[in-house]
Amino acid sequence: MNKKNYLWPLLATGSLAIGIVLGGYLTKSGVPFSVKENYGRVKLNKLIDLIEQEYVDNINTDSIIDMTVNNILAQLDPHSTYISKSDFEDVQNAMKGSFVGIGINYYVLNDTLAIVKPLPGGPSSKAGLKAGDRILYADKVQLFNQGLSNDSIINLIRGTDGSKTLLKVYRKSANKTFDVEITRGDVPLKSVDVAIKFDKKRGYIKINRFAETTYNEFKTGLEALLNEGISELVLDLRENGGGYMEPAIQIADEFLKKNEVIVKTVNKKGNVKVTKASNKGLFENQKLYVLINENSASASEIIAGAIQDNDRGTIVGRRSYGKGLVQREMYLGDGSAVRLTTARYYTPSGRSIQKPYMDGLDEYNNDLNNRFKSGELYSKDSIHLADSLQFKTVTGRTVFGGGGIVPDVFVPLKNKHGEDAIQLLMKTSLVSYYVFEEIEKERAFLEGLSSKQLAEQIYNNPKYFEDLKRHLKSSGLTFNLDRHKKNIMFYLVAEYIHQLYDENAYYLWVLQQDPMIQKINALN
């Protein structure tokens, strides 16, 4: 593989895995259920009993049962999954839209817990903690120089709602150590990263997943943008692995006129449920663009398919993931749960966008790498879908089923002199950890600058680029960094802005060179 592109499959596959585990396409209600007794089940129970009572060594039968459940589900489809008791709380928190804790973004830096940012409005922010603070002890338990895992740290700083924790904190900027008591509370996990007006007429909303709070977050953001006078909207669903069905339908409803079809579902018995738009939405007539890429899955594809099939807006980007299965979350009684596929969904024109999975899980999961190797991510002409899977939108345009949503306007990955690999590199922890350490050297000065002044400071002082070059080369990277200086500097500024300011400032910066935004600008 070409050296300049070697990072892409690795990073893209990692982000996709996270999206599918935390997202998927789910119905929100998880309900207890019963299964009829049968001989196969009796045989399995008897085998477990025999292992416990007679096997020569002591065996953790719970782990055997978990393995058995996973193996059974793997025979069904790629998206029926088991959630163990140990993982269940984290998965539920992600979909609920909050967790109980102290509310910080942090790095474990040189074996010390360093605060990157206290989350706005969270317990740590209210208690006066600041970016750059080091947490040395939590309830007299030493956190530094202990080699603690991330899970161990989370267990120490999280807890029950209303419980208190006493922290010993070192503030480097003031060279002082102090104690602070923090009352744990709900910490929001935003599913809408930003809702910003980024030019005279256009708003931008970025959704990272579909959770319980997503629709309310979206509606609040859209109403604020309408009050600012936007006449066009860009809805960004890139890297959105999905989530609950309900908020996706609610959001699509805001764009479609009454009785326009949003989605159809068909269950095992062949029962068809058609969901249509209801009363007047907030954004039914204004110009709409929806951004998707190869990691936009399930609930993201519900919205993209509804917009495309109703000829309501323009889908921009690359072919989406291709997940057309509906899961229902069911509890197993011991704190674990299963997400079981109970229906298939179809876009308004009647197309299934589920990609094939009959060749096995490995081949299914390798689809993204296959797209990369085939050149599909760089050329629309490399997308190959069967002519038999053609469908028509409401105005008669041809669209395809059988494996994701093909955009109306294709935008390739950056491939000029390896710019795609540079962009991905600049978003890795290798760079973000480095930037945090550099900020620590001059935090007081940098925090006193506006984002515009910060950009000028970094661009005009050659030390920032030269120091980063040394850091990357010492980490074993062999890119010709001087050749990519312009691109590197842009994303270096972006990382500084991300750590020093809020999400709005960060997105206002990165959207300037976003290829999909540039493509939209060219369409107008």
Side-chain angles (χ1 to χ4, degrees):
M1 186 179 297
N2 198 335
K3 184 194 298 181
K4 65 187 180 183
N5 291 324
Y6 81 97
L7 282 171
W8 190 91
L10 177 65
L11 295 172
T13 302
S15 65
L16 177 63
I18 293 169
I20 295 301
V21 169
L22 294 183
Y25 173 42
L26 309 173
T27 54
K28 190 168 127 182
S29 57
V31 296
F33 69 102
S34 62
V35 179
K36 291 182 179 179
E37 194 80 29
N38 58 49
Y39 182 71
R41 183 178 176 189
V42 171
K43 182 165 65 174
L44 184 59
N45 288 338
K46 186 173 180 63
L47 175 60
I48 296 297
D49 288 341
L50 286 171
I51 291 171
E52 286 184 332
Q53 296 166 17
E54 304 293 341
Y55 186 69
V56 63
D57 296 322
N58 290 325
I59 296 294
N60 182 349
T61 52
D62 285 345
S63 66
I64 293 177
I65 293 170
D66 286 358
M67 188 188 315
T68 303
V69 172
N70 276 313
N71 287 337
I72 291 171
L73 294 174
Q75 306 307 310
L76 303 179
D77 67 79
H79 300 292
S80 289
T81 58
Y82 172 65
I83 306 170
S84 68
K85 182 178 179 179
S86 60
D87 293 334
F88 186 74
E89 183 179 358
D90 286 341
V91 172
Q92 287 294 95
N93 285 338
M95 302 313 295
K96 185 178 72 172
S98 67
F99 66 93
V100 174
I102 65 172
I104 56 171
N105 288 331
Y106 66 89
Y107 289 139
V108 178
L109 197 67
N110 300 323
D111 212 12
T112 302
L113 193 157
I115 298 177
V116 179
K117 287 181 185 177
L119 298 179
S124 291
S125 177
K126 292 176 182 177
L129 293 188
K130 296 181 178 180
D133 286 348
R134 269 68 165 171
I135 300 179
L136 306 180
Y137 293 85
D139 295 321
K140 298 183 179 180
V141 177
Q142 182 175 321
L143 302 185
F144 63 96
N145 294 335
Q146 297 297 300
L148 295 175
S149 67
N150 194 55
D151 287 343
S152 298
I153 292 171
I154 288 173
N155 289 334
L156 286 168
I157 61 178
R158 287 192 185 179
T160 57
D161 191 16
S163 63
K164 298 181 185 298
T165 181
L166 181 65
L167 305 180
K168 183 175 289 293
V169 177
Y170 171 67
R171 180 161 293 163
K172 185 177 180 181
S173 60
N175 193 25
K176 68 175 183 178
T177 302
F178 59 93
D179 292 336
V180 58
E181 186 177 71
I182 296 180
T183 301
R184 298 181 179 95
D186 259 352
V187 179
L189 287 171
K190 292 199 308 178
S191 54
V192 174
D193 289 335
V194 287
I196 53 175
K197 184 178 181 181
F198 68 98
D199 64 24
K200 292 181 180 179
K201 62 180 180 180
R202 197 174 297 147
Y204 171 88
I205 297 179
K206 168 68 173 174
I207 303 177
N208 62 58
R209 71 187 186 287
F210 291 92
E212 288 184 19
T213 59
T214 303
Y215 172 66
N216 287 335
E217 291 179 51
F218 166 82
K219 186 178 180 183
T220 298
L222 180 57
E223 288 175 337
L225 290 173
L226 288 170
N227 287 334
E228 292 185 58
I230 67 163
S231 58
E232 298 182 14
L233 179 68
V234 177
L235 179 66
D236 192 345
L237 302 179
R238 290 174 293 181
E239 306 300 322
N240 185 325
Y244 287 140
M245 169 183 176
E246 291 86 346
I249 290 173
Q250 289 173 305
I251 290 169
D253 199 347
E254 297 294 351
F255 300 130
L256 299 173
K257 293 182 171 60
K258 186 175 181 179
N259 290 326
E260 289 183 319
V261 175
I262 297 173
V263 68
K264 305 172 185 177
T265 58
V266 182
N267 66 11
K268 184 174 185 176
K269 297 179 179 179
N271 297 328
V272 180
K273 180 181 178 182
V274 179
T275 302
K276 298 181 178 180
S278 57
N279 296 324
K280 183 175 177 60
L282 288 171
F283 208 81
E284 287 185 359
N285 300 305
Q286 301 94 319
K287 190 172 286 190
L288 173 66
Y289 301 93
V290 179
L291 308 185
I292 60 172
N293 68 3
E294 53 283 345
N295 290 331
S296 303
S298 67
S300 295
E301 294 171 299
I302 293 287
I303 292 179
I307 298 304
Q308 189 174 57
D309 284 6
N310 285 291
D311 293 298
R312 167 61 188 91
T314 305
I315 311 300
V316 178
R318 295 182 291 278
R319 181 164 66 103
S320 63
Y321 181 82
K323 181 179 180 296
L325 303 176
V326 184
Q327 282 75 51
R328 181 179 168 196
E329 194 167 275
M330 304 174 183
Y331 307 135
L332 297 179
D334 64 343
S336 65
V338 62
R339 287 179 177 169
L340 191 67
T341 297
T342 58
R344 298 179 185 274
Y345 80 76
Y346 298 83
T347 68
S349 65
R351 54 184 167 144
S352 169
I353 53 84
Q354 174 63 48
K355 63 186 180 183
Y357 54 86
M358 302 311 293
D359 292 333
L361 192 58
D362 288 343
E363 184 64 23
Y364 184 84
N365 290 334
N366 203 41
D367 174 65
L368 199 54
N369 281 335
N370 291 338
R371 294 193 202 185
F372 176 75
K373 292 175 182 177
S374 72
E376 177 185 322
L377 303 180
Y378 297 99
S379 171
K380 186 176 183 179
D381 293 339
S382 297
I383 301 174
H384 299 295
L385 295 173
D387 290 341
S388 60
L389 298 176
Q390 289 187 16
F391 294 80
K392 297 294 183 182
T393 69
V394 294
T395 63
R397 291 191 305 122
T398 298
V399 289
F400 288 87
I405 303 291
V406 178
D408 304 312
V409 177
F410 179 79
V411 180
L413 279 174
K414 283 186 173 184
N415 195 28
K416 184 179 180 182
H417 306 305
E419 288 180 0
D420 52 327
I422 288 293
Q423 181 178 341
L424 289 166
L425 166 67
M426 294 301 292
K427 293 181 178 180
T428 63
S429 59
L430 180 65
V431 174
S432 60
Y433 274 83
Y434 165 77
V435 168
F436 181 80
E437 290 185 297
E438 292 300 300
I439 288 174
E440 285 292 270
K441 296 175 183 177
E442 49 181 349
R443 181 175 292 277
F445 168 68
L446 294 176
E447 287 182 340
L449 303 177
S450 67
S451 57
K452 182 179 178 181
Q453 290 170 329
L454 174 67
E456 291 173 351
Q457 168 71 12
I458 294 172
Y459 272 114
N460 293 334
N461 190 334
K463 92 174 186 66
Y464 289 94
F465 180 66
E466 295 301 323
D467 288 351
L468 177 62
K469 272 200 327 183
R470 282 191 288 272
H471 170 71
L472 294 177
K473 287 182 178 179
S474 69
S475 301
L477 294 179
T478 58
F479 285 100
N480 182 344
L481 297 173
D482 290 316
R483 180 180 175 185
H484 300 285
K485 180 175 180 180
K486 182 178 180 181
N487 213 20
I488 287 172
M489 292 301 292
F490 179 80
Y491 287 104
L492 180 62
V493 171
E495 184 58 35
Y496 270 86
I497 289 175
H498 205 194
Q499 294 195 27
L500 287 166
Y501 308 116
D502 61 15
E503 293 293 298
N504 288 6
Y506 171 73
Y507 276 95
L508 284 171
W509 178 262
V510 297
L511 289 178
Q512 297 176 82
Q513 289 193 21
D514 188 311
M516 294 194 191
I517 298 298
Q518 291 174 338
K519 175 66 76 172
I520 290 172
N521 291 338
L523 295 174
N524 286 271

